[in-house]
Amino acid sequence: MLYKNIQGLRAVAALMVMFAHIYPALPMQAHWTLPYVSTMGPGGVDLFFVISGFVVYLSADRLGKKAEIVGRWLSFREFTVKRVFRIYPVYWVAFFVASVLLLTTTLVVAPPEISERPLWGLLLLIDQPNNRIGAAWTLQYEVTFYAICALAILLFPRRILLMLGPVAVAVFLGWVAGIVKPTAYLFLEFVFGIVVALLVQRKISGHAASSLAVGVGGILIGAVYFYSQGGWWVLGHMWRVLCFGLPSAFIVYGLVAMEIRAGWVFSRLWVGVGDSSYSLYLWHYPLFAVLAACYADLGIMSRVPVEVLALTSCSIAVLFGFVSYYGIERPINKSGWVARLAGTTGNKPAPMAADLKAEMA
């Protein structure tokens, strides 16, 4: 099932990250809104992770059950091929463009503190941070989570939690023992999404409004705490999981429960932005660099209010996200040849097409 509220939340998450990244691109480092947006904005990543845990688990679980009919290899193949083509083609296009800009101009296409990493690792999304597509550091976690789900379909098609559960426990115990990378805690946010998916599978949809209120309030309180303690670079990632990941789970559950109970849903515009949220997420940072350079060349940087330039850049980025989605993402994911590679028919939607449409990478 395609949840409109999940797509709307994708739009919210992408916009949160985008707004946080406009400040380095323009002379806004002293703007009064910076402390608020720079604290809240990165929380969009945590919202994305919870959403991915929710949607990807539902897809993997349904394909695992489908394995009883078509076999585990075909289910594994369908899940893997669709995940690969959902993530990599548009990322490689953005990566190539950013690389050309990096090599041929003086534009800052990613946060300047990011060091150079081996090219092959960045292309395969198995290494980070990413000095071409700065926001793509999160995709390493996404790809790893997809790989775990794919392996679960192959090994335990009817009980994929037999794979996902021990991984979650291992991450938690690794945190307790202090033997895992700090950022590994972010995998727990996928777990939060899985818990929400299990509730939805059991048709539990009560307390939707109160859950949403708890989630929104929790993120606001978490943002205040982060700011009071010195920000993202001071507190550890476990605090990030608690202050932003856990409230995001309440938000996801609350909005999905509302939709199940025929309550409030996001409008078509928000759903459309959610469809293109992956493209927006990839392109916005290098696009901001190009736009800032254009403003400087036109001599309008000092003549136009910086707020106008910021809103203009963000609006262009959203429109560019639509262009990338309809020009690259959607044609590839809807193509017959990808369906054939996945082992599904190219003439009608695969059984999981509606769920896959709701996924991010």
Side-chain angles (χ1 to χ4, degrees), residues 1 6 17 34-35 51 68 92 99 110-111 129 136 149 167 174 183 211 217 261 283 312 324 332 338 345:
M1 177 180 179
I6 287 293
V17 175
L34 176 61
I51 291 172
E68 286 191 337
W92 282 334
S99 296
C149 289
V167 170
T183 51
S211 294
R261 299 169 73 89
W283 286 105
T312 300
S324 176
I332 291 175
V338 169
T345 176

Side-chain angles (χ1 to χ4, degrees), residues 15 18-23 26 280 284 287-288 291 295 307-321:
L15 292 175
M18 179 190 71
F19 287 140
H21 287 160
I22 191 62
Y23 293 86
L26 298 173
L280 173 60
H284 72 272
L287 183 61
F288 284 166
L291 290 173
Y295 299 153
E307 295 86 356
V308 174
L309 295 178
L311 290 176
T312 300
S313 296
C314 290
S315 299
I316 292 173
V318 172
L319 292 175
F320 197 88

